């Protein structure tokens, strides 16, 4: 027996225990980053999915603001957006007696305020006698609060007696004001 009450067997066991702990410390340290990596991967997974979804939203005064239907929807909470397949938006304005219906192949909604629609975007005015009947493009961005639409892609605007082609446009559905960014051609055909 030694002076301090330790014997060789006790020291050997203590040394082996400390050596085993030192061997596993790197393994324990590596587990924490994997957990963080899993959290990052969770952001890439939708919080929930829905099929054949219809949602109706009202403004702060209780008036109908817009409706959306989509064949499928994926909501990403952590990233702050919603993906739609085959969305159909119905936008209501105060000055219009009938809404605008916007369809596309794909859509992304950011913070319930800004939607980006892509691939075969078609905007139909439900009022038959307005200046613009429909707008077609491959990409459009719509602010759902202000009813502002913008596109930097080729656009075709159809009216009762004309067709306008442009590379991009800005429009305000509330005021019915349209700005062509790069006018290409206008064909006017008055009816007799």
């Amino acid at each position: 027996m030694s002076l301090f009450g330790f014997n060789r067997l006790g020291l050997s066991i203590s040394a082996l225990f400390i050596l085993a702990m030192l061997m596993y410390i790197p393994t324990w340290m590596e587990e924490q980053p994997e957990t963080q990596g899993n959290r990052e991967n969770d952001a890439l997974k939708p919080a929930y999915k829905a099929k054949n979804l219809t949602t109706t939203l009202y403004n702060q005064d209780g008036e109908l603001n817009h409706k959306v239907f989509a064949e499928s929807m994926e909501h990403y909470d952590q990233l702050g957006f919603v993906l739609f397949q085959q969305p159909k938006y119905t936008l209501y304005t105060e000055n219009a007696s009938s809404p605008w219906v916007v369809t596309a192949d794909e859509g992304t909604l950011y913070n319930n305020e800004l939607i980006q629609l892509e691939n075969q975007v078609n905007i139909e005015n439900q009022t038959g006698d307005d200046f613009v009947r429909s707008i077609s493009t491959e990409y459009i961005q719509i602010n759902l609060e202000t009813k502002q639409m913008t596109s930097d892609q080729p656009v075709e605007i159809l009216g009762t007696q004309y067709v306008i082609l442009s590379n991009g446009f800005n429009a305000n559905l509330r005021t019915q004001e349209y700005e062509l960014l790069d006018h290409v051609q206008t064909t006017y055909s008055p009816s007799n």
Side-chain angles (χ1 to χ4, degrees), residues 2-32:
S2 77
L3 285 172
F4 300 107
F6 293 108
N7 61 20
R8 284 186 181 168
L9 182 63
L11 285 175
S12 298
I13 292 173
S14 297
L16 284 173
F17 179 73
I18 291 172
L19 183 62
M21 293 275 292
L22 290 174
M23 288 177 57
Y24 283 107
I25 285 178
T27 306
W28 294 330
M29 297 297 227
E30 289 177 14
E31 289 180 23
Q32 214 169 15

Side-chain angles (χ1 to χ4, degrees), residues 3 31 40 46 64 68-69 77 87 108 124 151 153 157 166 172 178 181:
L3 285 172
E31 289 180 23
E40 290 172 7
L64 190 57
V68 62
F69 168 81
D77 272 342
T108 307
E124 294 283 333
S151 179
Q153 300 295 309
I157 302 172
S166 177
N172 185 322
Y178 305 90
L181 300 180

Side-chain angles (χ1 to χ4, degrees), residues 149-174:
M149 297 189 302
T150 60
S151 179
D152 59 358
Q153 300 295 309
V155 176
E156 179 182 73
I157 302 172
L158 297 174
T160 53
Q161 300 175 343
Y162 64 88
V163 176
I164 299 174
L165 302 177
S166 177
N167 289 322
F169 84 114
N170 293 320
N172 185 322
L173 297 179
R174 286 185 176 147

Side-chain angles (χ1 to χ4, degrees), residues 13-189:
I13 292 173
S14 297
L16 284 173
F17 179 73
I18 291 172
L19 183 62
M21 293 275 292
L22 290 174
M23 288 177 57
Y24 283 107
I25 285 178
T27 306
W28 294 330
M29 297 297 227
E30 289 177 14
E31 289 180 23
Q32 214 169 15
E34 289 179 46
T35 305
Q36 289 175 348
N38 288 340
R39 287 184 191 147
E40 290 172 7
N41 289 338
D42 286 346
L44 301 177
K45 295 177 184 173
Y48 58 89
K49 296 180 181 183
K51 297 245 185 235
N52 297 319
L53 170 79
T54 300
T55 302
T56 304
L57 295 167
Y58 297 87
N59 66 18
Q60 59 200 16
D61 298 325
E63 298 168 339
L64 190 57
N65 190 28
H66 66 273
K67 288 183 184 180
V68 62
F69 168 81
E71 285 186 11
S72 69
M73 187 248 352
E74 295 178 351
H75 190 269
Y76 294 84
D77 272 342
Q78 293 179 15
L79 299 176
F81 64 85
V82 180
L83 292 179
F84 295 103
Q85 294 298 316
Q86 303 297 317
K88 178 180 178 181
Y89 266 85
T90 306
L91 302 171
Y92 296 88
T93 60
E94 300 87 27
N95 299 336
S97 58
S98 295
W100 291 78
V101 176
V102 184
T103 58
D105 288 344
E106 300 171 10
T108 307
L109 176 65
Y110 298 94
N111 299 322
N112 288 331
E113 184 177 305
L114 182 70
I115 186 160
Q116 294 177 344
L117 299 165
E118 298 180 69
N119 302 323
Q120 298 182 9
V121 180
N122 194 23
I123 302 125
E124 294 283 333
N125 188 343
Q126 301 302 295
T127 304
D129 59 347
D130 275 355
F131 180 70
V132 173
R133 285 193 173 174
S134 70
I135 302 168
S136 300
T137 186
E138 286 299 308
Y139 172 83
I140 197 162
Q141 194 171 4
I142 303 172
N143 184 314
L144 297 172
E145 294 297 318
T146 63
K147 304 297 192 266
Q148 289 283 132
M149 297 189 302
T150 60
S151 179
D152 59 358
Q153 300 295 309
V155 176
E156 179 182 73
I157 302 172
L158 297 174
T160 53
Q161 300 175 343
Y162 64 88
V163 176
I164 299 174
L165 302 177
S166 177
N167 289 322
F169 84 114
N170 293 320
N172 185 322
L173 297 179
R174 286 185 176 147
T175 62
Q176 300 290 314
E177 293 176 3
Y178 305 90
E179 175 189 6
L180 305 175
L181 300 180
D182 182 18
H183 180 253
V184 175
Q185 177 183 355
T186 299
T187 305
Y188 180 69
S189 302

